[in-house]
């Protein structure tokens, strides 16, 4: 049953992080900061706690979770690393990369965390508070992004507390997420290296590290990652992408310094990065969508965003946010 008690908000200091880690070990649901987005964590060995994540998020039980650990040896206890996986892990961990690997037998990870698949998604975050939290829990932490299923991910503690007024136990405050977009998900197995979700680590860096181009699975063919499916990250208002003008009643999400026709008609106008910096745009995207979600607008007009580097991820999230529900 979902709890109706408000979550406890803990400050991101020594005492707060210890309380949060004890609560998680004890089977509680704890939202915690990472450099990408806030996660909603449960002790991955505790079936009841992991099941509550699905319940409280309204997440389909066949959509597996990412396992968060502190170091490579903990990661190696969960999955089989081939040479590509090893090389990505040693270059980019800790950081915004999730590896999907063949799952080791006998891990004691609750089968609902992996949705009973033969693979497992593993990540080592770099956020200092996340690292301290994971160290103190001493267990793998199963955590999806801390938002209701299909809604915009949380990059600030306020997003978490408004998404979960009740139903979760603790929120650990780590300030705004520095990257602001979820991790990049790469699968490494006998079938090769595949980009399952673009994210905070850009494709170019992965390809440079491996010395090979990586393939992308068309969304329609993704086997068991419904989080990747079209409508996701959805604000209430409709998004109109690649807009070159504003229609009366719309809000405007812009980028760079180029003027947008009829922008004076816009109810609200937010610029993801006036200087045209994709990193800045990434860190503002979800925060601005959360803000515009509260405005009464018919639609959000979004100007074209370049597609290289982090632009690939930003455009991916915008397309899904704009997809028919
Ligand atoms: O940055 C992030 O990745 C954040 C922070 C909290 O770590 N987490 C996050 O989790 O974005 P979530 O649950 O919102 O997205 C994880 C995605 C889901 O789309 C899920 O389907 C996919 O990872 N996934 C998990 N296990 C998988 C597996 N074995 N094979 C393929 N996809 C998997
Ligand atoms: Mg998510």
């Amino acid at each position: 049953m979902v709890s109706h008690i408000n979550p406890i908000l803990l400050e991101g200091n020594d005492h707060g992080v210890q309380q949060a880690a004890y609560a998680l070990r004890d089977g509680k649901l704890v939202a915690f900061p990472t450099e990408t987005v806030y996660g909603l964590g449960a002790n991955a060995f505790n079936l009841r706690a992991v099941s509550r994540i699905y319940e409280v998020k309204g997440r389909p039980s066949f959509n597996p979770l990412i396992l968060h650990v502190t170091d490579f040896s903990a990661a190696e206890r969960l999955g089989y690393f081939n040479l590509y996986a090893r090389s990505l892990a040693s270059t980019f961990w800790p950081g915004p990369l999730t590896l999907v690997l063949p799952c080791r037998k006998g891990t004691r990870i609750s089968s609902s965390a992996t949705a009973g698949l033969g693979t497992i998604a593993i990540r080592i975050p770099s956020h200092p508070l996340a690292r301290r939290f994971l160290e103190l829990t001493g267990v793998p932490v199963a955590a999806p992004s801390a938002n209701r299923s299909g809604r915009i991910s949380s990059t600030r503690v306020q997003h978490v507390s408004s998404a979960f007024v009740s139903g979760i136990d603790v929120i650990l405050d780590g300030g705004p997420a520095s990257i602001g977009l979820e991790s990049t998900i790469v699968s490494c197995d006998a079938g090769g290296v595949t980009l399952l979700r673009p994210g905070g680590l850009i494709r170019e860096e992965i390809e440079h590290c491996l010395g090979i181009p990586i393939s992308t699975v068309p969304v329609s063919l993704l086997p068991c990652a419904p989080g990747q499916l079209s409508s996701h990250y959805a604000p209430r208002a409709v998004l109109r992408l690649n807009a070159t003008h504003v229609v009366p009643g719309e809000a405007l999400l812009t980028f760079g310094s180029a003027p947008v026709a009829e922008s004076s008609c816009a109810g609200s106008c937010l610029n993801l990065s006036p200087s045209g910096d994709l990193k800045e745009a990434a860190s503002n995207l979800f925060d601005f969508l959360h803000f515009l979600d509260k405005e009464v607008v018919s639609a959000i007009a979004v100007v074209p965003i370049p597609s290289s580097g982090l632009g690939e991820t930003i455009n991916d999230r915008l397309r899904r946010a704009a997809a028919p529900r």
Side-chain angles (χ1 to χ4, degrees), residues 34 36-39 57 59 63-66 68 98 100 117 119-121 123 143-145 181-183 185 196-197 224-228:
T34 84
T36 57
V37 296
Y38 274 76
K57 274 194 61 128
R59 180 176 177 111
N63 188 7
L65 307 177
I66 297 175
H68 297 71
T98 295
V100 170
L117 298 177
T119 52
I120 189 163
R123 164 156 134 77
S145 50
L181 297 171
E182 301 82 352
S183 62
I185 306 183
L196 297 181
R197 175 179 77 182
C224 279
Q228 320 290 5

PDB file of all heavy atoms in Angstrom, residues 34 36-39 57 59 63-66 68 98 100 117 119-121 123 143-145 181-183 185 196-197 224-228, ligand 1:
ATOM      1  N   THR A  34      21.716  12.980  -7.894  1.00  0.00           N
ATOM      2  CA  THR A  34      22.884  12.530  -8.659  1.00  0.00           C
ATOM      3  C   THR A  34      23.223  13.698  -9.593  1.00  0.00           C
ATOM      4  O   THR A  34      22.471  14.673  -9.672  1.00  0.00           O
ATOM      5  CB  THR A  34      22.654  11.241  -9.501  1.00  0.00           C
ATOM      6  OG1 THR A  34      22.058  11.596 -10.740  1.00  0.00           O
ATOM      7  CG2 THR A  34      21.808  10.201  -8.774  1.00  0.00           C
ATOM      8  N   THR A  36      23.049  13.689 -12.708  1.00  0.00           N
ATOM      9  CA  THR A  36      22.151  13.716 -13.878  1.00  0.00           C
ATOM     10  C   THR A  36      20.788  14.244 -13.467  1.00  0.00           C
ATOM     11  O   THR A  36      20.416  15.361 -13.828  1.00  0.00           O
ATOM     12  CB  THR A  36      22.030  12.317 -14.498  1.00  0.00           C
ATOM     13  OG1 THR A  36      21.569  11.393 -13.504  1.00  0.00           O
ATOM     14  CG2 THR A  36      23.347  11.851 -15.084  1.00  0.00           C
ATOM     15  N   VAL A  37      20.042  13.433 -12.715  1.00  0.00           N
ATOM     16  CA  VAL A  37      18.730  13.823 -12.195  1.00  0.00           C
ATOM     17  C   VAL A  37      18.600  13.172 -10.816  1.00  0.00           C
ATOM     18  O   VAL A  37      19.417  12.325 -10.460  1.00  0.00           O
ATOM     19  CB  VAL A  37      17.578  13.332 -13.125  1.00  0.00           C
ATOM     20  CG1 VAL A  37      17.644  13.979 -14.497  1.00  0.00           C
ATOM     21  CG2 VAL A  37      17.560  11.799 -13.258  1.00  0.00           C
ATOM     22  N   TYR A  38      17.575  13.534 -10.055  1.00  0.00           N
ATOM     23  CA  TYR A  38      17.340  12.860  -8.762  1.00  0.00           C
ATOM     24  C   TYR A  38      16.842  11.439  -9.028  1.00  0.00           C
ATOM     25  O   TYR A  38      16.076  11.198  -9.967  1.00  0.00           O
ATOM     26  CB  TYR A  38      16.297  13.624  -7.936  1.00  0.00           C
ATOM     27  CG  TYR A  38      16.905  14.742  -7.114  1.00  0.00           C
ATOM     28  CD1 TYR A  38      17.286  15.944  -7.706  1.00  0.00           C
ATOM     29  CD2 TYR A  38      17.114  14.596  -5.738  1.00  0.00           C
ATOM     30  CE1 TYR A  38      17.858  16.959  -6.957  1.00  0.00           C
ATOM     31  CE2 TYR A  38      17.684  15.609  -4.977  1.00  0.00           C
ATOM     32  CZ  TYR A  38      18.053  16.789  -5.596  1.00  0.00           C
ATOM     33  OH  TYR A  38      18.634  17.792  -4.842  1.00  0.00           O
ATOM     34  N   GLY A  39      17.303  10.501  -8.200  1.00  0.00           N
ATOM     35  CA  GLY A  39      16.838   9.120  -8.285  1.00  0.00           C
ATOM     36  C   GLY A  39      15.898   8.824  -7.132  1.00  0.00           C
ATOM     37  O   GLY A  39      15.931   9.490  -6.091  1.00  0.00           O
ATOM     38  N   LYS A  57       5.518   5.152  -8.438  1.00  0.00           N
ATOM     39  CA  LYS A  57       5.760   5.869  -9.698  1.00  0.00           C
ATOM     40  C   LYS A  57       4.658   5.624 -10.713  1.00  0.00           C
ATOM     41  O   LYS A  57       4.533   6.344 -11.687  1.00  0.00           O
ATOM     42  CB  LYS A  57       7.084   5.396 -10.337  1.00  0.00           C
ATOM     43  CG  LYS A  57       8.305   6.135  -9.830  1.00  0.00           C
ATOM     44  CD  LYS A  57       9.519   5.880 -10.725  1.00  0.00           C
ATOM     45  CE  LYS A  57       9.368   6.336 -12.149  1.00  0.00           C
ATOM     46  NZ  LYS A  57      10.428   7.191 -12.685  1.00  0.00           N
ATOM     47  N   ARG A  59       4.763   2.817 -12.443  1.00  0.00           N
ATOM     48  CA  ARG A  59       5.643   2.331 -13.513  1.00  0.00           C
ATOM     49  C   ARG A  59       5.279   0.893 -13.846  1.00  0.00           C
ATOM     50  O   ARG A  59       5.095   0.078 -12.943  1.00  0.00           O
ATOM     51  CB  ARG A  59       7.082   2.389 -12.999  1.00  0.00           C
ATOM     52  CG  ARG A  59       8.162   1.926 -13.969  1.00  0.00           C
ATOM     53  CD  ARG A  59       9.495   2.170 -13.300  1.00  0.00           C
ATOM     54  NE  ARG A  59      10.652   1.734 -14.033  1.00  0.00           N
ATOM     55  CZ  ARG A  59      11.555   2.567 -14.578  1.00  0.00           C
ATOM     56  NH1 ARG A  59      11.382   3.867 -14.504  1.00  0.00           N
ATOM     57  NH2 ARG A  59      12.624   2.093 -15.181  1.00  0.00           N
ATOM     58  N   ASN A  63       9.340  -2.703 -16.771  1.00  0.00           N
ATOM     59  CA  ASN A  63      10.355  -1.696 -17.106  1.00  0.00           C
ATOM     60  C   ASN A  63      11.448  -1.677 -16.036  1.00  0.00           C
ATOM     61  O   ASN A  63      11.268  -1.112 -14.965  1.00  0.00           O
ATOM     62  CB  ASN A  63       9.696  -0.321 -17.226  1.00  0.00           C
ATOM     63  CG  ASN A  63      10.645   0.720 -17.764  1.00  0.00           C
ATOM     64  OD1 ASN A  63      11.771   0.410 -18.168  1.00  0.00           O
ATOM     65  ND2 ASN A  63      10.216   1.971 -17.769  1.00  0.00           N
ATOM     66  N   PRO A  64      12.628  -2.306 -16.310  1.00  0.00           N
ATOM     67  CA  PRO A  64      13.629  -2.515 -15.262  1.00  0.00           C
ATOM     68  C   PRO A  64      14.280  -1.230 -14.759  1.00  0.00           C
ATOM     69  O   PRO A  64      14.211  -0.183 -15.400  1.00  0.00           O
ATOM     70  CB  PRO A  64      14.671  -3.384 -15.971  1.00  0.00           C
ATOM     71  CG  PRO A  64      14.500  -3.117 -17.426  1.00  0.00           C
ATOM     72  CD  PRO A  64      13.056  -2.793 -17.634  1.00  0.00           C
ATOM     73  N   LEU A  65      14.936  -1.345 -13.592  1.00  0.00           N
ATOM     74  CA  LEU A  65      15.554  -0.185 -12.932  1.00  0.00           C
ATOM     75  C   LEU A  65      17.076  -0.232 -13.088  1.00  0.00           C
ATOM     76  O   LEU A  65      17.645  -1.291 -13.364  1.00  0.00           O
ATOM     77  CB  LEU A  65      15.218  -0.218 -11.433  1.00  0.00           C
ATOM     78  CG  LEU A  65      13.731  -0.341 -11.084  1.00  0.00           C
ATOM     79  CD1 LEU A  65      13.558  -0.436  -9.565  1.00  0.00           C
ATOM     80  CD2 LEU A  65      12.943   0.845 -11.636  1.00  0.00           C
ATOM     81  N   ILE A  66      17.715   0.917 -12.853  1.00  0.00           N
ATOM     82  CA  ILE A  66      19.179   0.974 -12.862  1.00  0.00           C
ATOM     83  C   ILE A  66      19.679   0.666 -11.443  1.00  0.00           C
ATOM     84  O   ILE A  66      19.125   1.157 -10.462  1.00  0.00           O
ATOM     85  CB  ILE A  66      19.665   2.368 -13.317  1.00  0.00           C
ATOM     86  CG1 ILE A  66      19.212   2.652 -14.761  1.00  0.00           C
ATOM     87  CG2 ILE A  66      21.177   2.483 -13.191  1.00  0.00           C
ATOM     88  CD1 ILE A  66      19.550   4.052 -15.269  1.00  0.00           C
ATOM     89  N   HIS A  68      22.527   1.257  -8.763  1.00  0.00           N
ATOM     90  CA  HIS A  68      23.571   2.242  -8.470  1.00  0.00           C
ATOM     91  C   HIS A  68      24.522   1.674  -7.425  1.00  0.00           C
ATOM     92  O   HIS A  68      24.064   1.208  -6.373  1.00  0.00           O
ATOM     93  CB  HIS A  68      22.941   3.538  -7.956  1.00  0.00           C
ATOM     94  CG  HIS A  68      22.052   4.211  -8.967  1.00  0.00           C
ATOM     95  ND1 HIS A  68      20.825   3.696  -9.340  1.00  0.00           N
ATOM     96  CD2 HIS A  68      22.217   5.340  -9.698  1.00  0.00           C
ATOM     97  CE1 HIS A  68      20.275   4.487 -10.248  1.00  0.00           C
ATOM     98  NE2 HIS A  68      21.098   5.493 -10.489  1.00  0.00           N
ATOM     99  N   THR A  98      25.339   4.592 -17.942  1.00  0.00           N
ATOM    100  CA  THR A  98      24.772   3.340 -17.431  1.00  0.00           C
ATOM    101  C   THR A  98      25.129   2.240 -18.412  1.00  0.00           C
ATOM    102  O   THR A  98      24.937   2.407 -19.620  1.00  0.00           O
ATOM    103  CB  THR A  98      23.237   3.465 -17.299  1.00  0.00           C
ATOM    104  OG1 THR A  98      22.945   4.443 -16.300  1.00  0.00           O
ATOM    105  CG2 THR A  98      22.590   2.138 -16.911  1.00  0.00           C
ATOM    106  N   VAL A 100      24.426  -1.611 -19.677  1.00  0.00           N
ATOM    107  CA  VAL A 100      23.523  -2.770 -19.628  1.00  0.00           C
ATOM    108  C   VAL A 100      24.340  -3.994 -20.029  1.00  0.00           C
ATOM    109  O   VAL A 100      24.880  -4.056 -21.136  1.00  0.00           O
ATOM    110  CB  VAL A 100      22.300  -2.571 -20.546  1.00  0.00           C
ATOM    111  CG1 VAL A 100      21.493  -3.861 -20.680  1.00  0.00           C
ATOM    112  CG2 VAL A 100      21.413  -1.445 -20.015  1.00  0.00           C
ATOM    113  N   LEU A 117      14.845  -9.821 -16.405  1.00  0.00           N
ATOM    114  CA  LEU A 117      15.620  -9.959 -17.656  1.00  0.00           C
ATOM    115  C   LEU A 117      16.953 -10.659 -17.366  1.00  0.00           C
ATOM    116  O   LEU A 117      17.389 -10.736 -16.225  1.00  0.00           O
ATOM    117  CB  LEU A 117      15.922  -8.584 -18.255  1.00  0.00           C
ATOM    118  CG  LEU A 117      14.737  -7.729 -18.684  1.00  0.00           C
ATOM    119  CD1 LEU A 117      15.234  -6.388 -19.174  1.00  0.00           C
ATOM    120  CD2 LEU A 117      13.959  -8.443 -19.779  1.00  0.00           C
ATOM    121  N   THR A 119      19.642  -9.368 -18.362  1.00  0.00           N
ATOM    122  CA  THR A 119      20.633  -8.283 -18.355  1.00  0.00           C
ATOM    123  C   THR A 119      20.386  -7.389 -17.141  1.00  0.00           C
ATOM    124  O   THR A 119      19.321  -7.446 -16.533  1.00  0.00           O
ATOM    125  CB  THR A 119      20.509  -7.427 -19.635  1.00  0.00           C
ATOM    126  OG1 THR A 119      19.148  -7.022 -19.764  1.00  0.00           O
ATOM    127  CG2 THR A 119      20.950  -8.188 -20.866  1.00  0.00           C
ATOM    128  N   ILE A 120      21.396  -6.561 -16.844  1.00  0.00           N
ATOM    129  CA  ILE A 120      21.273  -5.671 -15.688  1.00  0.00           C
ATOM    130  C   ILE A 120      21.879  -4.311 -16.037  1.00  0.00           C
ATOM    131  O   ILE A 120      22.920  -4.250 -16.706  1.00  0.00           O
ATOM    132  CB  ILE A 120      21.949  -6.319 -14.450  1.00  0.00           C
ATOM    133  CG1 ILE A 120      21.643  -5.517 -13.183  1.00  0.00           C
ATOM    134  CG2 ILE A 120      23.464  -6.496 -14.634  1.00  0.00           C
ATOM    135  CD1 ILE A 120      21.913  -6.302 -11.902  1.00  0.00           C
ATOM    136  N   ALA A 121      21.211  -3.231 -15.629  1.00  0.00           N
ATOM    137  CA  ALA A 121      21.699  -1.869 -15.901  1.00  0.00           C
ATOM    138  C   ALA A 121      22.428  -1.372 -14.660  1.00  0.00           C
ATOM    139  O   ALA A 121      21.871  -1.405 -13.557  1.00  0.00           O
ATOM    140  CB  ALA A 121      20.526  -0.961 -16.235  1.00  0.00           C
ATOM    141  N   ARG A 123      25.137   1.620 -12.817  1.00  0.00           N
ATOM    142  CA  ARG A 123      25.715   2.962 -12.925  1.00  0.00           C
ATOM    143  C   ARG A 123      26.451   3.330 -11.642  1.00  0.00           C
ATOM    144  O   ARG A 123      26.024   2.965 -10.544  1.00  0.00           O
ATOM    145  CB  ARG A 123      24.568   3.947 -13.188  1.00  0.00           C
ATOM    146  CG  ARG A 123      24.888   5.419 -12.966  1.00  0.00           C
ATOM    147  CD  ARG A 123      23.923   6.269 -13.797  1.00  0.00           C
ATOM    148  NE  ARG A 123      23.351   7.388 -13.076  1.00  0.00           N
ATOM    149  CZ  ARG A 123      23.999   8.521 -12.818  1.00  0.00           C
ATOM    150  NH1 ARG A 123      25.244   8.692 -13.190  1.00  0.00           N
ATOM    151  NH2 ARG A 123      23.396   9.492 -12.164  1.00  0.00           N
ATOM    152  N   ALA A 143      17.283   2.414  -8.560  1.00  0.00           N
ATOM    153  CA  ALA A 143      16.661   3.739  -8.605  1.00  0.00           C
ATOM    154  C   ALA A 143      16.326   4.181 -10.015  1.00  0.00           C
ATOM    155  O   ALA A 143      17.217   4.297 -10.860  1.00  0.00           O
ATOM    156  CB  ALA A 143      17.577   4.784  -7.966  1.00  0.00           C
ATOM    157  N   PRO A 144      15.043   4.444 -10.255  1.00  0.00           N
ATOM    158  CA  PRO A 144      14.664   5.145 -11.483  1.00  0.00           C
ATOM    159  C   PRO A 144      14.762   6.647 -11.212  1.00  0.00           C
ATOM    160  O   PRO A 144      15.071   7.059 -10.082  1.00  0.00           O
ATOM    161  CB  PRO A 144      13.200   4.745 -11.654  1.00  0.00           C
ATOM    162  CG  PRO A 144      12.695   4.613 -10.240  1.00  0.00           C
ATOM    163  CD  PRO A 144      13.882   4.154  -9.408  1.00  0.00           C
ATOM    164  N   SER A 145      14.497   7.465 -12.207  1.00  0.00           N
ATOM    165  CA  SER A 145      14.425   8.900 -11.965  1.00  0.00           C
ATOM    166  C   SER A 145      13.233   9.182 -11.043  1.00  0.00           C
ATOM    167  O   SER A 145      12.218   8.488 -11.102  1.00  0.00           O
ATOM    168  CB  SER A 145      14.274   9.633 -13.298  1.00  0.00           C
ATOM    169  OG  SER A 145      13.222   9.064 -14.057  1.00  0.00           O
ATOM    170  N   LEU A 181      20.209  16.067 -17.321  1.00  0.00           N
ATOM    171  CA  LEU A 181      19.604  15.051 -18.206  1.00  0.00           C
ATOM    172  C   LEU A 181      20.078  13.695 -17.707  1.00  0.00           C
ATOM    173  O   LEU A 181      21.176  13.592 -17.157  1.00  0.00           O
ATOM    174  CB  LEU A 181      20.079  15.232 -19.650  1.00  0.00           C
ATOM    175  CG  LEU A 181      19.700  16.530 -20.344  1.00  0.00           C
ATOM    176  CD1 LEU A 181      20.428  16.632 -21.683  1.00  0.00           C
ATOM    177  CD2 LEU A 181      18.196  16.607 -20.556  1.00  0.00           C
ATOM    178  N   GLU A 182      19.291  12.648 -17.941  1.00  0.00           N
ATOM    179  CA  GLU A 182      19.634  11.331 -17.420  1.00  0.00           C
ATOM    180  C   GLU A 182      20.911  10.791 -18.065  1.00  0.00           C
ATOM    181  O   GLU A 182      21.371  11.279 -19.100  1.00  0.00           O
ATOM    182  CB  GLU A 182      18.499  10.329 -17.680  1.00  0.00           C
ATOM    183  CG  GLU A 182      17.161  10.699 -17.076  1.00  0.00           C
ATOM    184  CD  GLU A 182      16.396  11.681 -17.926  1.00  0.00           C
ATOM    185  OE1 GLU A 182      16.949  12.198 -18.917  1.00  0.00           O
ATOM    186  OE2 GLU A 182      15.228  11.951 -17.585  1.00  0.00           O
ATOM    187  N   SER A 183      21.408   9.688 -17.464  1.00  0.00           N
ATOM    188  CA  SER A 183      22.634   9.066 -17.967  1.00  0.00           C
ATOM    189  C   SER A 183      22.436   8.497 -19.368  1.00  0.00           C
ATOM    190  O   SER A 183      21.313   8.178 -19.775  1.00  0.00           O
ATOM    191  CB  SER A 183      23.056   7.939 -17.015  1.00  0.00           C
ATOM    192  OG  SER A 183      22.061   6.944 -16.974  1.00  0.00           O
ATOM    193  N   ILE A 185      22.661   5.423 -21.761  1.00  0.00           N
ATOM    194  CA  ILE A 185      22.593   3.964 -21.528  1.00  0.00           C
ATOM    195  C   ILE A 185      23.193   3.233 -22.723  1.00  0.00           C
ATOM    196  O   ILE A 185      22.761   3.420 -23.866  1.00  0.00           O
ATOM    197  CB  ILE A 185      21.148   3.487 -21.299  1.00  0.00           C
ATOM    198  CG1 ILE A 185      20.495   4.287 -20.164  1.00  0.00           C
ATOM    199  CG2 ILE A 185      21.134   1.998 -20.970  1.00  0.00           C
ATOM    200  CD1 ILE A 185      19.085   3.846 -19.803  1.00  0.00           C
ATOM    201  N   LEU A 196      21.405   2.681 -26.120  1.00  0.00           N
ATOM    202  CA  LEU A 196      19.969   2.473 -25.867  1.00  0.00           C
ATOM    203  C   LEU A 196      19.261   3.791 -25.550  1.00  0.00           C
ATOM    204  O   LEU A 196      18.075   3.924 -25.790  1.00  0.00           O
ATOM    205  CB  LEU A 196      19.758   1.503 -24.704  1.00  0.00           C
ATOM    206  CG  LEU A 196      20.272   0.072 -24.882  1.00  0.00           C
ATOM    207  CD1 LEU A 196      19.953  -0.771 -23.653  1.00  0.00           C
ATOM    208  CD2 LEU A 196      19.667  -0.572 -26.118  1.00  0.00           C
ATOM    209  N   ARG A 197      19.994   4.724 -24.941  1.00  0.00           N
ATOM    210  CA  ARG A 197      19.397   6.036 -24.652  1.00  0.00           C
ATOM    211  C   ARG A 197      20.500   7.068 -24.652  1.00  0.00           C
ATOM    212  O   ARG A 197      21.461   6.938 -23.897  1.00  0.00           O
ATOM    213  CB  ARG A 197      18.716   6.006 -23.265  1.00  0.00           C
ATOM    214  CG  ARG A 197      18.173   7.369 -22.821  1.00  0.00           C
ATOM    215  CD  ARG A 197      17.477   7.325 -21.459  1.00  0.00           C
ATOM    216  NE  ARG A 197      18.420   7.272 -20.348  1.00  0.00           N
ATOM    217  CZ  ARG A 197      18.073   7.198 -19.064  1.00  0.00           C
ATOM    218  NH1 ARG A 197      16.799   7.141 -18.722  1.00  0.00           N
ATOM    219  NH2 ARG A 197      18.996   7.155 -18.122  1.00  0.00           N
ATOM    220  N   CYS A 224      13.172  -4.347 -24.200  1.00  0.00           N
ATOM    221  CA  CYS A 224      12.546  -4.294 -22.889  1.00  0.00           C
ATOM    222  C   CYS A 224      12.855  -2.987 -22.201  1.00  0.00           C
ATOM    223  O   CYS A 224      13.212  -2.971 -21.032  1.00  0.00           O
ATOM    224  CB  CYS A 224      13.010  -5.455 -22.045  1.00  0.00           C
ATOM    225  SG  CYS A 224      12.108  -6.933 -22.447  1.00  0.00           S
ATOM    226  N   ALA A 225      12.761  -1.920 -22.896  1.00  0.00           N
ATOM    227  CA  ALA A 225      13.028  -0.638 -22.264  1.00  0.00           C
ATOM    228  C   ALA A 225      11.910   0.334 -22.601  1.00  0.00           C
ATOM    229  O   ALA A 225      12.100   1.282 -23.329  1.00  0.00           O
ATOM    230  CB  ALA A 225      14.381  -0.095 -22.709  1.00  0.00           C
ATOM    231  N   PRO A 226      10.732   0.086 -22.024  1.00  0.00           N
ATOM    232  CA  PRO A 226       9.599   0.927 -22.379  1.00  0.00           C
ATOM    233  C   PRO A 226       9.803   2.377 -21.976  1.00  0.00           C
ATOM    234  O   PRO A 226       9.164   3.267 -22.513  1.00  0.00           O
ATOM    235  CB  PRO A 226       8.422   0.325 -21.625  1.00  0.00           C
ATOM    236  CG  PRO A 226       8.989  -0.649 -20.682  1.00  0.00           C
ATOM    237  CD  PRO A 226      10.392  -0.942 -21.057  1.00  0.00           C
ATOM    238  N   GLY A 227      10.727   2.627 -21.027  1.00  0.00           N
ATOM    239  CA  GLY A 227      11.057   4.006 -20.678  1.00  0.00           C
ATOM    240  C   GLY A 227      11.596   4.738 -21.888  1.00  0.00           C
ATOM    241  O   GLY A 227      11.642   5.956 -21.926  1.00  0.00           O
ATOM    242  N   GLN A 228      12.046   3.975 -22.869  1.00  0.00           N
ATOM    243  CA  GLN A 228      12.592   4.585 -24.083  1.00  0.00           C
ATOM    244  C   GLN A 228      11.487   4.892 -25.084  1.00  0.00           C
ATOM    245  O   GLN A 228      11.738   5.480 -26.113  1.00  0.00           O
ATOM    246  CB  GLN A 228      13.570   3.626 -24.783  1.00  0.00           C
ATOM    247  CG  GLN A 228      14.465   2.866 -23.860  1.00  0.00           C
ATOM    248  CD  GLN A 228      15.489   3.761 -23.222  1.00  0.00           C
ATOM    249  OE1 GLN A 228      15.458   4.964 -23.418  1.00  0.00           O
ATOM    250  NE2 GLN A 228      16.370   3.202 -22.449  1.00  0.00           N
TER     251      GLN A 228
HETATM  252  O1  LIG B   1      20.594   9.325 -14.908  1.00  0.00           O
HETATM  253  C1  LIG B   1      19.911   8.308 -14.764  1.00  0.00           C
HETATM  254  O2  LIG B   1      20.061   7.306 -15.465  1.00  0.00           O
HETATM  255  C2  LIG B   1      18.863   8.310 -13.645  1.00  0.00           C
HETATM  256  C3  LIG B   1      19.603   8.421 -12.309  1.00  0.00           C
HETATM  257  C4  LIG B   1      18.678   8.378 -11.127  1.00  0.00           C
HETATM  258  O3  LIG B   1      20.561   7.397 -12.236  1.00  0.00           O
HETATM  259  N1  LIG B   1      18.032   7.161 -13.700  1.00  0.00           N
HETATM  260  C5  LIG B   1      17.114   6.958 -14.675  1.00  0.00           C
HETATM  261  O4  LIG B   1      16.346   5.821 -14.477  1.00  0.00           O
HETATM  262  O5  LIG B   1      16.972   7.699 -15.621  1.00  0.00           O
HETATM  263  P1  LIG B   1      15.013   5.532 -15.312  1.00  0.00           P
HETATM  264  O6  LIG B   1      14.416   4.352 -14.656  1.00  0.00           O
HETATM  265  O7  LIG B   1      14.175   6.745 -15.369  1.00  0.00           O
HETATM  266  O8  LIG B   1      15.543   5.144 -16.709  1.00  0.00           O
HETATM  267  C6  LIG B   1      16.295   3.960 -16.836  1.00  0.00           C
HETATM  268  C7  LIG B   1      16.067   3.338 -18.164  1.00  0.00           C
HETATM  269  C8  LIG B   1      14.644   2.851 -18.377  1.00  0.00           C
HETATM  270  O9  LIG B   1      14.202   3.327 -19.626  1.00  0.00           O
HETATM  271  C9  LIG B   1      14.786   1.333 -18.436  1.00  0.00           C
HETATM  272  O10 LIG B   1      13.872   0.765 -19.342  1.00  0.00           O
HETATM  273  C10 LIG B   1      16.230   1.160 -18.886  1.00  0.00           C
HETATM  274  O11 LIG B   1      16.917   2.188 -18.223  1.00  0.00           O
HETATM  275  N2  LIG B   1      16.786  -0.130 -18.449  1.00  0.00           N
HETATM  276  C11 LIG B   1      16.988  -0.583 -17.199  1.00  0.00           C
HETATM  277  N3  LIG B   1      17.454  -1.847 -17.209  1.00  0.00           N
HETATM  278  C12 LIG B   1      17.570  -2.203 -18.505  1.00  0.00           C
HETATM  279  C13 LIG B   1      17.985  -3.383 -19.183  1.00  0.00           C
HETATM  280  N4  LIG B   1      18.386  -4.463 -18.529  1.00  0.00           N
HETATM  281  N5  LIG B   1      17.964  -3.377 -20.535  1.00  0.00           N
HETATM  282  C14 LIG B   1      17.566  -2.278 -21.225  1.00  0.00           C
HETATM  283  N6  LIG B   1      17.149  -1.135 -20.641  1.00  0.00           N
HETATM  284  C15 LIG B   1      17.141  -1.095 -19.304  1.00  0.00           C
END
